[in-house]
Amino acid sequence: MADIFEKLVKDGGPLGQHMKRAHGYFAFPKLEGELGSRMMFRGKERIVWSLNNYLGLANHPDTRKADTEAAAKWGIGYPMGARMMSGNSVYHEQLEKVLSSFTKREDAMLLNFGYQGIMSCIDALVNRRDVIVYDAECHACIVDGIRMHMGYSYTFKHNDIEDCEKQLQRATKMAEKSGGGILLITEGVYGMSGDQGKLKEIVELKKKYEFRILIDDAHGFGAMGPTGAGTDEEQGCQNEIDLYFSTFVKSMGSIGAFISGRKDVLAYLRYNVRSQIFAKSLPMVVVEGMLKRMEMLKSMPELRTKLWEVTNALQNGLREKGFDLGKTNTMVTPVYMKGDVPEATAMVLDLRENYNIFCSIVVYPVIPKGQIIYRLIPTAAHNQEDIDLTLKAFTETKAKLDAGEYKAAEIPDMAEAM
């Protein structure tokens, strides 16, 4: 019989195996100073491309003022308790009305966290007789929600409509046997690859198959579409998307999430989403801060304009210099390269220490061996100088990578004491 703790400590996990050399630098780094395109890391200023702050609202003077005033008025704890018991307020309901109107749905429901929220929504929406069909590259929160499902689930290849239809055919046969229904889950914007989910094509399949659609548009809300209402607005299919989910973390520079859809379905979710029934309500400082952010989102289109100016300048500059950005057609900017984990970390070390560029790196086991993805997140807070310095840094470090200068047996030891 094994000791659980001994097993964990010995193994470390796929990412944890590197913790003794990576902690505090490649993993769990500490960015310091004011939120923005430039922050301090280990005592030096770096250009930061790793903050999910698309519209620059996290540190905008107007949102800072609203957050500060709300904190002074309510404190961090108000209201106390879950929404159902003692944590509801007219402000929570007001924000839900604003969100439902903005996303063109009948109703909306606030959620404390995105990850926890969508897991719990999936759990509430389906029972053991129902069948889930989902895109293979859906976020981990969706995968974890599906893991809780006691019925069948079928995965379709990423953005492959032919395979999606094939899995819907399988799901239909299973649902006819079990007497259940079908929930299809996809994303508006895929946060790793940056491509949009094929929402219009999936919606078209409703003409042939009976199913409901839930989309996770964490990266799209606030940034995509003519008004920023999301990727379904961008693709002109809001009316056909049954449930729309997003977080306040990416474009809104806050915390929390929401789901919007039909009024009767949202009434059911209010009484059945366990992560809301058994957890404290969103603090008033977040709710009032989000009301201000929604007001700014609707009245300040220049924030989105600036985001897309930065995005286009960065992506066009990288492509002109021969970098592979995959299929991104959104703000998310992945830069694909070849190499193993030691090479990737050596390159990141060079970027940070010698070029003062801080960006996120994705390697095995998140993606297949031999591949490296640098994920850059452009925001309205970046400027042309940030872009020019980054293009120079990537050009020079890519040349070193291709020349084999980053070859190493193991990752550089940059860890700090845990």
Side-chain angles (χ1 to χ4, degrees):
M1 182 174 173
D3 181 285
I4 289 177
F5 286 1
E6 287 297 323
K7 177 184 67 176
L8 297 178
V9 171
K10 182 179 179 181
D11 178 66
L15 297 173
Q17 63 179 309
H18 302 299
M19 71 177 80
K20 289 182 180 177
R21 306 179 73 85
H23 188 79
Y25 195 92
F26 302 112
F28 296 93
K30 291 188 280 288
L31 290 168
E32 299 176 304
E34 291 288 324
L35 284 170
S37 68
R38 302 200 181 200
M39 297 181 69
M40 301 299 291
F41 177 64
R42 289 201 172 184
K44 290 177 66 178
E45 184 183 77
R46 325 282 177 157
I47 299 171
V48 179
W49 296 99
S50 295
L51 301 183
N52 290 316
N53 182 29
Y54 290 126
L55 301 180
L57 291 177
N59 206 33
H60 192 284
D62 293 351
T63 56
R64 286 285 292 268
K65 183 173 183 287
D67 294 345
T68 300
E69 290 176 353
K73 181 165 51 171
W74 303 105
I76 193 68
Y78 191 97
M80 293 301 297
R83 288 278 302 276
M84 185 179 283
M85 302 300 290
S86 57
N88 198 19
S89 79
V90 293
Y91 299 97
H92 288 72
E93 293 176 354
Q94 180 186 349
L95 178 56
E96 288 173 336
K97 285 183 173 66
V98 170
L99 290 164
S100 62
S101 174
F102 189 67
T103 59
K104 294 183 170 56
R105 265 85 182 181
E106 291 180 355
D107 200 0
M109 171 184 168
L110 294 177
L111 301 161
N112 293 350
F113 294 101
Y115 201 109
Q116 168 205 74
I118 197 165
M119 284 179 63
S120 200
C121 285
I122 293 169
D123 179 53
L125 287 165
V126 292
N127 61 36
R128 66 175 70 243
R129 292 186 297 276
D130 299 322
V131 184
I132 296 175
V133 176
Y134 66 103
D135 190 290
E137 290 190 13
C138 278
H139 191 269
C141 61
I142 294 171
V143 174
D144 284 352
I146 293 168
R147 283 176 176 173
M148 296 192 297
H149 177 46
M150 292 182 287
Y152 283 88
S153 61
Y154 299 105
T155 313
F156 61 91
K157 297 170 188 173
H158 176 54
N159 269 347
D160 186 327
I161 298 303
E162 185 178 332
D163 192 42
C164 179
E165 181 168 9
K166 179 181 176 182
Q167 302 313 317
L168 280 170
Q169 290 169 354
R170 296 177 69 194
T172 299
K173 289 179 182 176
M174 183 56 65
E176 286 171 349
K177 278 186 189 178
S178 66
I182 300 171
L183 178 66
L184 188 146
I185 308 175
T186 186
E187 297 192 25
V189 173
Y190 284 85
M192 194 67 69
S193 58
D195 54 340
Q196 297 175 44
K198 293 187 177 180
L199 306 182
K200 285 199 78 167
E201 290 91 336
I202 290 172
V203 161
E204 280 295 305
L205 292 173
K206 276 189 165 188
K207 295 175 180 176
K208 297 172 66 176
Y209 306 94
E210 188 175 338
F211 62 96
R212 294 293 185 177
I213 302 174
L214 164 65
I215 69 164
D216 176 349
D217 202 26
H219 288 270
F221 180 73
M224 301 295 291
T227 70
T231 312
D232 57 340
E233 181 189 46
E234 173 78 16
Q235 296 187 25
C237 57
Q238 282 176 298
N239 293 337
E240 290 78 31
I241 300 298
D242 300 295
L243 287 167
Y244 180 91
F245 167 90
S246 189
T247 76
F248 303 146
V249 175
K250 313 299 184 186
S251 286
M252 297 291 98
S254 185
I255 196 164
F258 74 96
I259 186 167
S260 62
R262 252 171 49 179
K263 196 172 186 66
D264 54 355
V265 176
L266 267 292
Y268 173 85
L269 291 177
R270 278 193 178 85
Y271 280 81
N272 290 278
V273 173
R274 292 171 63 84
S275 67
Q276 300 309 116
I277 295 171
F278 299 104
K280 185 183 180 300
S281 175
L282 268 182
M284 195 69 78
V285 64
V286 174
V287 174
E288 283 209 359
M290 270 303 302
L291 284 167
K292 180 62 179 179
R293 286 163 170 80
M294 288 304 299
E295 176 190 310
M296 294 171 68
L297 178 58
K298 291 187 284 185
S299 65
M300 298 174 67
E302 63 269 22
L303 296 173
R304 284 196 316 282
T305 299
K306 179 66 188 303
L307 165 65
W308 285 102
E309 286 174 354
V310 171
T311 297
N312 292 331
L314 176 66
Q315 292 185 356
N316 291 341
L318 286 165
R319 287 192 174 105
E320 285 168 7
K321 292 184 179 297
F323 287 95
D324 178 10
L325 306 189
K327 296 181 179 179
T328 184
N329 54 1
T330 66
M331 315 75 56
V332 180
T333 306
V335 184
Y336 294 86
M337 298 187 196
K338 298 291 184 183
D340 294 317
V341 177
E343 290 173 274
T345 49
M347 185 176 177
V348 167
L349 182 66
D350 195 11
L351 279 168
R352 291 182 184 177
E353 298 304 315
N354 299 315
Y355 295 91
N356 296 320
I357 304 295
F358 189 104
C359 61
S360 299
I361 181 175
V362 185
V363 292
Y364 178 82
V366 180
I367 57 176
K369 286 184 177 180
Q371 295 184 21
I372 304 170
I373 299 177
Y374 293 93
R375 189 176 68 157
L376 282 66
I377 303 294
T379 74
H382 287 96
N383 58 39
Q384 190 60 48
E385 184 184 24
D386 298 332
I387 296 167
D388 292 340
L389 291 171
T390 301
L391 293 175
K392 178 179 184 294
F394 266 77
T395 301
E396 293 182 7
T397 54
K398 176 64 162 55
K400 295 179 188 179
L401 176 70
D402 293 343
E405 293 184 31
Y406 296 132
K407 282 287 184 186
E410 55 188 352
I411 70 171
D413 187 356
M414 297 297 291
E416 59 184 29
M418 293 179 65

